[in-house]
Amino acid sequence: MASISRRRALALGGGSLLGTAGALAAARGAGAATDWTDLVVVTANIGRENLGQRERAIRDVRHGVTIGGQTAQPLVGWQEIGEGDDDGQEPRWINEHFGSNFRNVYEYDDSAHRVPMSIPRAYDIVDRRVTVVHGGMAGVSPHRVITQAVLARADDPQLRFVFANTHYVAGAWNGQTDPHEDWRKDRWQEHFRSHRDDVLGHWRSRGYPVIWTGDVNRSPMPLLLPNHEKRAFANGIDQIGWVPGSNGTELRLRDTRVVPMHVDGHDARVAVLQVRRA
């Protein structure tokens, strides 16, 4: 393995399901259009270096974005939680610093604990799902999954969207090679197809817009749905994307920011989205 990590080499480059009828019925039952409101979305890879900075990084993600002079309550997709330093501290710190105003999900899930979510209580969790993408290989990569939650605004339950979070296999697109390069690239392509079809396609067919976060380990990464998807950042492996749905919930980008984490080659990336019910 080269002295520069695969992650850093790339970073420097830049439950039960609700059916279609239920989703569309909810949209049809909605009242008058609502005003645009801010929704702060963060993708945050804790990383594996400078482990003494992990708690600070989690705390900074919680308090690192202000809107109108007030500390935002962000919707966070985490990556690499407990991956390589499974001392139990990272989920504990997430639960501590993202306290009673949040629901933290998947942080103790056997399959999905590496990519949990922190969801502000301004949104109710209507449904949850984990899509298993591929198995792992010892010494190369753990298995990969995509976590998902259907969210509804607590004060306007007809405003609904899906939040998804994931972490692609490392090393397939960083310009370096090793004996497992073909395996890495095959798994990356498998992940891309599942992300596109089993997550974005699945939920959009039910009327939901989807916001996703993740470490995609490719920069630039092709659009999953070129005719529909938008991205907050043109380059870099830490990404935030979204696609429209047909249930009346609309999304748009207002701003992007960065929260330094001081742990690895990653900083947390922030998209200040706006959401409304049309």
Side-chain angles (χ1 to χ4, degrees):
M1 186 69 69
S3 59
I4 185 170
S5 70
R6 290 177 173 273
R7 180 186 304 108
R8 191 179 301 276
L10 276 172
L12 293 174
S16 63
L17 304 181
L18 296 177
T20 305
L24 296 180
R28 287 193 295 270
T34 61
D35 293 333
W36 290 104
T37 58
D38 290 329
L39 173 63
V40 176
V41 180
V42 180
T43 186
N45 186 317
I46 292 299
R48 301 278 64 86
E49 299 178 14
N50 301 322
L51 298 182
Q53 296 293 324
R54 290 176 294 162
E55 183 178 13
R56 173 189 175 184
I58 290 168
R59 184 177 61 245
D60 288 352
V61 170
R62 169 64 185 90
H63 299 285
V65 181
T66 58
I67 302 292
Q70 301 293 317
T71 301
Q73 295 188 2
L75 177 61
V76 184
W78 303 95
Q79 300 93 39
E80 294 203 32
I81 300 303
E83 186 174 325
D85 49 13
D86 192 9
D87 55 9
Q89 296 282 56
E90 292 165 19
R92 182 177 70 81
W93 286 326
I94 290 172
N95 286 321
E96 177 181 339
H97 293 290
F98 288 73
S100 60
N101 289 327
F102 290 81
R103 295 180 180 90
N104 301 307
V105 295
Y106 300 116
E107 75 273 34
Y108 293 113
D109 186 278
D110 288 343
S111 173
H113 68 272
R114 295 182 179 90
V115 284
M117 302 170 168
S118 293
I119 297 168
R121 287 187 180 270
Y123 290 89
D124 292 328
I125 302 172
V126 177
D127 203 354
R128 290 165 48 172
R129 187 174 81 140
V130 176
T131 298
V132 177
V133 177
H134 63 76
M137 178 182 287
V140 180
S141 171
H143 74 277
R144 299 298 189 183
V145 306
I146 306 172
T147 53
Q148 299 137 76
V150 180
L151 305 183
R153 274 184 63 108
D155 61 356
D156 183 9
Q158 305 305 332
L159 191 157
R160 298 187 177 199
F161 60 88
V162 172
F163 182 48
N165 181 43
T166 196
H167 186 184
Y168 280 58
V169 65
W173 297 98
N174 67 353
Q176 302 179 45
T177 59
D178 69 13
H180 305 293
E181 197 70 18
D182 289 342
W183 184 88
R184 294 178 191 272
K185 193 156 290 188
D186 287 345
R187 299 293 77 74
W188 196 97
Q189 296 290 358
E190 186 176 2
H191 200 138
F192 186 91
R193 288 191 296 270
S194 183
H195 194 173
R196 179 191 65 201
D197 301 336
D198 302 332
V199 176
L200 300 188
H202 171 86
W203 291 114
R204 291 188 75 244
S205 73
R206 287 155 174 77
Y208 292 100
V210 182
I211 301 169
W212 69 267
T213 55
D215 177 351
V216 300
N217 277 311
R218 181 174 181 177
S219 179
M221 177 190 177
L223 291 172
L224 291 140
L225 295 174
N227 294 327
H228 304 286
E229 186 186 7
K230 298 184 184 299
R231 297 268 176 82
F233 302 94
N235 295 291
I237 63 175
D238 299 294
Q239 280 295 334
I240 301 171
W242 63 98
V243 292
S246 57
N247 69 353
T249 298
E250 296 184 339
L251 300 164
R252 70 182 185 186
L253 180 66
R254 184 165 80 82
D255 193 12
T256 60
R257 305 183 190 181
V258 174
V259 176
M261 291 200 297
H262 311 287
V263 175
D264 204 341
H266 298 264
D267 288 327
R269 284 179 137 185
V270 180
V272 181
L273 297 178
Q274 292 189 309
V275 59
R276 72 174 179 183
R277 179 164 46 78

